[in-house]
Amino acid sequence: MQTTTHTSLLARLAEEQDDGAWADFCTRYGDLIRGFARRQGLQPVDCDDVLQNVLVKLTRSMPAFRYDPSKGKFRSYLKTVVLRCIFDISFQNRGERPVEDIEQQVRAASRDETVESAWEIEWRRHHLRQAMTVIETEFNTRDVAAFRSYAINGEDVHTAAATLSMSDDQVYKAKSRILKRICELVDQQVREEG
């Protein structure tokens, strides 16, 4: 379960002594970065390389980094770093290394609504994954399974109930309680982002 805010995680990353912070960063943001790279057309192995390159770039910049929400959101900063790494991998795959072209691509992509939409989709999925991590610790396994079957996987309520030896009403109630809690958790995550 994630117990640190993204701000406290950034502070930990800036401390050169905190190796566990990088593991926490990968746990928290790895799927977001890989998912966005996949949406940009990269192969799975290249998506892993993007994640590694993001970590390298952040490792180099973090000792001097001080998070200041008035200068922009962390999610925008992270998107820019990820885009640079995506374009770097793409250019490498084509046997090219022009740094100025990468910067032009990043600037163009930052204004591209399709790219922004893909980042937004992955960011929302990121929030849902974070919330589900908490849900799995706060609710019993049967209710979580009912929620996954009915609300996430779209299974018919009667089938979900029968599979889990629950009544239809129990499935509806589990969905309602968990969905309410997910909304609270996502709202909290968004507030913490600044």
Side-chain angles (χ1 to χ4, degrees):
M1 183 170 97
Q2 296 300 133
T3 57
T4 60
T5 66
H6 85 286
T7 305
S8 62
L9 177 57
L10 292 176
R12 288 177 53 217
L13 291 173
E15 297 172 16
E16 296 179 51
Q17 314 301 330
D18 193 346
D19 294 332
W22 290 107
D24 291 349
F25 181 89
C26 284
T27 299
R28 179 174 265 185
Y29 295 107
D31 288 339
L32 165 72
I33 293 166
R34 282 190 212 92
F36 182 65
R38 269 191 309 277
R39 285 185 174 278
Q40 299 309 302
L42 294 182
Q43 297 298 315
V45 68
D46 291 330
C47 296
D48 290 337
D49 289 344
V50 167
L51 175 59
Q52 291 302 311
N53 291 351
V54 166
L55 292 173
V56 168
K57 286 186 185 298
L58 290 177
T59 300
R60 290 180 184 151
S61 67
M62 275 298 144
F65 183 82
R66 297 296 171 260
Y67 180 62
D68 182 356
S70 68
K71 292 183 179 181
K73 293 184 177 186
F74 171 71
R75 67 185 270 170
S76 298
Y77 172 74
L78 182 60
K79 180 180 79 172
T80 300
V81 172
V82 173
L83 280 170
R84 279 191 183 102
C85 292
I86 288 170
F87 288 123
D88 190 44
I89 294 287
S90 296
F91 279 110
Q92 281 178 8
N93 287 347
R94 293 192 307 257
E96 304 170 10
R97 292 286 301 157
V99 173
E100 61 279 351
D101 286 349
I102 291 172
E103 291 307 313
Q104 288 174 357
Q105 292 284 337
V106 169
R107 281 192 296 279
S110 294
R111 295 185 299 269
D112 185 326
E113 288 182 27
T114 305
V115 172
E116 185 58 34
S117 176
W119 181 253
E120 186 63 28
I121 288 168
E122 287 305 322
W123 199 260
R124 288 179 184 181
R125 287 181 176 172
H126 161 73
H127 281 301
L128 180 58
R129 281 189 299 271
Q130 295 299 307
M132 285 304 294
T133 300
V134 175
I135 292 300
E136 289 170 356
T137 65
E138 291 182 352
F139 290 84
N140 69 56
T141 29
R142 196 167 75 155
D143 284 352
V144 172
F147 179 78
R148 285 189 183 280
S149 295
Y150 178 59
I152 295 177
N153 299 335
E155 195 171 277
D156 177 77
V157 69
H158 305 299
T159 306
T163 302
L164 297 165
S165 301
M166 297 173 76
S167 69
D168 291 358
D169 191 49
Q170 286 173 311
V171 172
Y172 287 131
K173 286 180 180 177
K175 176 196 169 215
S176 178
R177 287 191 313 272
I178 291 174
L179 194 55
K180 179 181 178 194
R181 182 65 177 133
I182 285 173
C183 290
E184 292 168 357
L185 290 166
V186 169
D187 285 345
Q188 177 184 349
Q189 291 169 26
V190 170
R191 280 192 312 276
E192 288 173 358
E193 287 172 0

